[in-house]
Amino acid sequence: MTTIETTRRTPRFADAQIEMAHGAGGTASRRLVEGLIGPYFSNPALQAFSDAAVLSIEGTRLATTADGFVVKPLRFPGGSIGELAVNGTLNDLAVSAAKPVALMATLILEAGLATSTLESEIEAMAIAARKAGIPIVGGDTKVVEHGMADGMYVSTFGIGVSDPRAMLDPASIRPGDRVLLSGPIGAHGITILLARGELDFQADLVSDTRCVWPFVEALLSQCGPGLRWMRDPTRGGVATALNELVRGGEYGIALSEEHVPMHDAVRGACELLGLDPLHIANEGQFLAVVAPSYADAALAAVRSVEGGERAVFIGDVRAEPKRRVIGINGYGGTRVIDMLVGDPLPRIC
Amino acid sequence: MTTIETTRRTPRFADAQIEMAHGAGGTASRRLVEGLIGPYFSNPALQAFSDAAVLSIEGTRLATTADGFVVKPLRFPGGSIGELAVNGTLNDLAVSAAKPVALMATLILEAGLATSTLESEIEAMAIAARKAGIPIVGGDTKVVEHGMADGMYVSTFGIGVSDPRAMLDPASIRPGDRVLLSGPIGAHGITILLARGELDFQADLVSDTRCVWPFVEALLSQCGPGLRWMRDPTRGGVATALNELVRGGEYGIALSEEHVPMHDAVRGACELLGLDPLHIANEGQFLAVVAPSYADAALAAVRSVEGGERAVFIGDVRAEPKRRVIGINGYGGTRVIDMLVGDPLPRIC
């Protein structure tokens, strides 16, 4: 564990060139964003480093989010780059407690891309957007020479209206708060890994990619005032999301590892590959920190929505050790759970 | 001239794969957007096919725009990809008569990119944003393997508030309206071409990239009710922007070609290369259609802002021939000015 995870000090970015790990969402990404990009773009909205920026425009609190998608392969069991781009962006708004209003999308296409491939992704975006009831109101298309991209990349932009029923603020988190997880972890990352066909085993697994707004809406309706913080644990997984939370606070989180749900295939693949499932990306799950008095209502709210049946509390907020995520196993043993270091699974979103 | 330019009929997209021309901003781009993407994303905001989408959120009229940047080389005389990304996005908002409020940026980086190159572009973005007084409130960073991009690509998203002093609407355009151009054309496209070093001549030329909001603000202040339409003539140049305008209307535009300002170096390069300067991209110019009663005020407004001294009326709206842009030379001869076909200058923005 380095000072990056345990203090608020801004790390310097001293790497001479960009490596894959700088895009993986873990410590290297954080060093790039905080050490190189952040100082240039310094402003209050960016300092929050959350998944969406909140702007107050003429009295309306808007959330905006920008996401890039470079997932490889473009299509995988359970989803594709277009569907992921739409749902990933909707999810960033949702976990900011903002009701999505509109999306935009920019495509960077490689010359030679089959029109049928492009059309499949346009259709996937349209279906995902229609399912969520959110219009795609514009965008841009650029083409680069063959060999200057990998089929297609998608950048999306989402805008939403902050829901007044919740005032998410990590500073409001207190020891005793509960950590809710919406469902089984790791399905997306392991599905992508298997879809590349580089491993010698197969599994009956599909990505968990979906829009989490229906769950968030249920939470806002049933226990809005009890919601302290939400996050979708994508790149870097649950471990990274929770570490990013605690590093800014005067508290820690204790995870009951045996309660973290995951498919057997995810568990098996992680054991085989030496990966920690808590570091594997998810695309249809979210974490919420909930005040204890709202805990039962929160769990019931998520479980009441189709697909939320496996929601569960996986841990709680503790006064000590501060700024650490601790895992507790079934026998009471503990370990420190760090942010993702390096990039075991490049281009998973 | 095909039916694409002269009727409102939606063209089919029948090409089997994506080619460079589909990103060039001309007829091929339009076929891709209208023939393939548009039908899937059909909604009123998108149907407008303008540079920015206007959303009404809780009573506030917001403009949002998304742009991708893949310019090659990353740095060129007068600008760079980072600066271009910021100003290009601000300009899309400006020509929609929307005061920019915030920007977001997504970076797609190629592994192996020198940190110094990235930092230069981050700094260029920050400087351009600061100069315009607009914060960059968030974004995303992805990294792809070496060989899967060309250094870096940037996608930007801008959000602005529609200025109530103008109600831009092509349907309000009438014969007799004047076409204003903010300054010399073609400097960006030709600068990029020369910066690639593939041609055997050099010229003392820099890109015109800049933020046009100060000019638009002067127009809004001096003659807001007289503004009918604005556009920044980027990919595809002045010819494409004006053709996109007239194709949806019951009027045509007559351009006085001798009045279109351009640097000698642009004129010379175009003659040498067989390019039409009206097809060359600009990154710091805009076109405005102005009611005749506001014409003098509009010209004075733009010229009063530093850098607007060469603004000029280059043509007017005529009842016939409908849906055509006609060029009139110094001797009274005429020619049809078409949209850009093909892609003579790939990756100019």
Side-chain angles (χ1 to χ4, degrees):
Chain A
M1 175 163 295
T2 74
T3 55
I4 294 163
E5 288 85 35
T6 55
T7 80
R8 294 183 182 203
R9 206 155 56 103
T10 300
R12 274 185 62 238
F13 188 79
D15 305 7
Q17 64 177 28
I18 301 304
E19 309 286 358
M20 293 302 288
H22 295 122
T27 55
S29 294
R30 179 156 288 275
R31 279 192 294 108
L32 174 64
V33 172
E34 295 194 355
L36 186 74
I37 299 176
Y40 283 105
F41 291 175
S42 176
N43 63 69
L46 186 64
Q47 290 308 318
F49 279 113
S50 72
D51 280 353
V54 175
L55 305 170
S56 187
I57 299 182
E58 299 194 356
T60 300
R61 275 169 54 89
L62 297 174
T64 60
T65 184
D67 294 285
F69 294 86
V70 298
V71 65
K72 175 185 179 177
L74 297 177
R75 302 228 126 203
F76 48 83
S80 69
I81 191 169
E83 180 268 352
L84 202 61
V86 167
N87 283 334
T89 302
L90 295 174
N91 289 350
D92 280 351
L93 294 173
V95 297
S96 304
K99 184 177 171 58
V101 171
L103 296 174
M104 305 189 94
T106 291
L107 309 175
I108 295 177
L109 308 177
E110 182 188 11
L113 178 70
T115 298
S116 57
T117 302
L118 174 60
E119 183 160 11
S120 293
E121 295 315 313
I122 298 292
E123 185 178 24
M125 295 179 78
I127 289 171
R130 200 176 310 132
K131 196 171 170 191
I134 308 301
I136 296 176
V137 297
D140 192 15
T141 304
K142 291 284 156 74
V143 182
V144 295
E145 299 87 345
H146 189 67
M148 294 295 176
D150 195 6
M152 62 185 287
Y153 302 139
V154 182
S155 294
T156 44
F157 169 66
I159 182 165
V161 177
S162 294
D163 192 298
R165 291 173 292 182
M167 287 300 293
L168 303 182
D169 183 2
S172 68
I173 292 175
R174 297 283 174 272
D177 286 352
R178 309 288 299 279
V179 180
L180 177 72
L181 171 66
S182 59
I185 66 168
H188 179 73
I190 298 299
T191 297
I192 295 295
L193 195 64
L194 296 177
R196 291 193 190 141
E198 295 160 1
L199 297 176
D200 222 11
F201 67 90
Q202 300 191 320
D204 187 20
L205 195 65
V206 297
S207 167
D208 61 351
T209 174
R210 60 179 174 176
C211 176
V212 302
W213 171 252
F215 304 106
V216 170
E217 196 170 36
L219 281 172
L220 290 167
S221 148
Q222 301 300 312
C223 54
L227 286 174
R228 314 279 208 205
W229 173 87
M230 289 188 285
R231 182 66 61 98
D232 53 334
T234 55
R235 283 183 293 178
V238 167
T240 300
L242 292 179
N243 269 287
E244 289 188 340
L245 172 63
V246 299
R247 66 197 283 277
E250 292 296 314
Y251 48 80
I253 286 176
L255 280 193
S256 176
E257 295 205 53
E258 63 184 328
H259 289 138
V260 177
M262 73 190 80
H263 300 285
D264 289 342
V266 170
R267 196 185 310 273
C270 285
E271 280 174 7
L272 210 61
L273 299 166
L275 298 171
D276 186 338
L278 292 169
H279 283 148
I280 306 297
N282 312 279
E283 289 291 342
Q285 307 303 335
F286 67 96
L287 294 159
V289 173
V290 185
S293 58
Y294 285 89
D296 292 345
L299 189 62
V302 176
R303 286 185 173 173
S304 73
V305 177
E306 188 184 342
E309 300 79 7
R310 294 191 67 184
V312 65
F313 284 106
I314 59 169
D316 47 41
V317 177
R318 301 194 176 177
E320 298 290 343
K322 294 190 201 309
R323 294 183 282 282
R324 302 250 172 168
V325 179
I326 302 294
I328 303 172
N329 68 25
Y331 308 101
T334 64
R335 64 170 181 134
V336 171
I337 296 173
D338 268 348
M339 289 179 76
L340 175 68
V341 177
D343 189 4
L345 296 177
R347 294 178 56 191
I348 51 90
C349 64
Chain B
M1 176 162 295
T2 73
T3 55
I4 294 162
E5 287 86 33
T6 56
T7 81
R8 294 183 182 203
R9 204 154 58 101
T10 300
R12 276 184 62 239
F13 187 79
D15 305 7
Q17 64 177 29
I18 301 303
E19 309 286 358
M20 293 302 289
H22 294 123
T27 55
S29 294
R30 177 156 289 276
R31 278 192 295 110
L32 173 64
V33 172
E34 296 194 356
L36 187 73
I37 300 175
Y40 282 105
F41 291 174
S42 176
N43 64 70
L46 187 64
Q47 290 308 318
F49 278 114
S50 70
D51 280 355
V54 175
L55 305 170
S56 187
I57 299 182
E58 298 194 358
T60 301
R61 276 169 55 88
L62 297 174
T64 59
T65 184
D67 294 285
F69 294 87
V70 299
V71 65
K72 175 185 178 176
L74 296 176
R75 301 229 126 203
F76 47 84
S80 70
I81 191 171
E83 179 268 351
L84 201 61
V86 168
N87 283 334
T89 302
L90 295 174
N91 290 349
D92 280 350
L93 295 173
V95 298
S96 304
K99 184 178 171 58
V101 171
L103 296 174
M104 304 189 95
T106 291
L107 308 175
I108 295 177
L109 308 177
E110 182 188 11
L113 178 71
T115 298
S116 57
T117 301
L118 174 60
E119 184 162 11
S120 293
E121 295 316 312
I122 299 292
E123 186 178 23
M125 296 179 78
I127 290 171
R130 201 176 308 132
K131 196 170 168 189
I134 308 302
I136 295 175
V137 297
D140 192 14
T141 304
K142 291 285 155 74
V143 182
V144 295
E145 298 87 347
H146 189 66
M148 294 294 176
D150 195 7
M152 63 185 287
Y153 302 139
V154 182
S155 294
T156 44
F157 303 98
I159 183 165
V161 176
S162 295
D163 192 300
R165 291 173 292 182
M167 287 299 293
L168 302 182
D169 183 2
S172 67
I173 292 176
R174 297 284 174 270
D177 286 352
R178 310 288 300 278
V179 180
L180 178 72
L181 171 66
S182 59
I185 66 168
H188 179 73
I190 299 299
T191 297
I192 295 296
L193 195 64
L194 296 177
R196 290 193 191 142
E198 293 160 3
L199 297 177
D200 222 11
F201 67 91
Q202 300 192 321
D204 187 19
L205 194 65
V206 297
S207 166
D208 61 352
T209 173
R210 61 180 175 176
C211 176
V212 303
W213 172 251
F215 304 106
V216 170
E217 195 169 36
L219 280 173
L220 290 166
S221 149
Q222 301 300 312
C223 53
L227 286 174
R228 314 278 209 207
W229 174 88
M230 289 189 285
R231 182 66 61 98
D232 53 335
T234 55
R235 284 182 293 179
V238 167
T240 300
L242 292 180
N243 269 287
E244 289 188 340
L245 173 62
V246 298
R247 67 197 283 279
E250 291 296 314
Y251 48 79
I253 286 176
L255 279 194
S256 176
E257 295 206 54
E258 63 184 329
H259 290 138
V260 177
M262 73 190 79
H263 298 287
D264 289 342
V266 170
R267 194 185 311 273
C270 285
E271 280 174 7
L272 210 60
L273 299 166
L275 298 171
D276 186 337
L278 291 169
H279 283 147
I280 306 298
N282 313 278
E283 288 290 344
Q285 308 304 333
F286 67 96
L287 294 158
V289 172
V290 185
S293 58
Y294 285 89
D296 291 346
L299 190 62
V302 177
R303 286 185 173 173
S304 74
V305 177
E306 187 183 341
E309 300 80 7
R310 294 190 66 183
V312 66
F313 284 107
I314 59 169
D316 46 42
V317 177
R318 301 193 177 177
E320 298 291 342
K322 293 190 202 310
R323 292 181 284 281
R324 301 248 172 170
V325 178
I326 301 294
I328 303 173
N329 68 25
Y331 308 101
T334 63
R335 65 170 180 131
V336 171
I337 296 173
D338 266 348
M339 288 180 79
L340 175 68
V341 177
D343 189 6
L345 296 176
R347 293 177 60 191
I348 51 90
C349 64

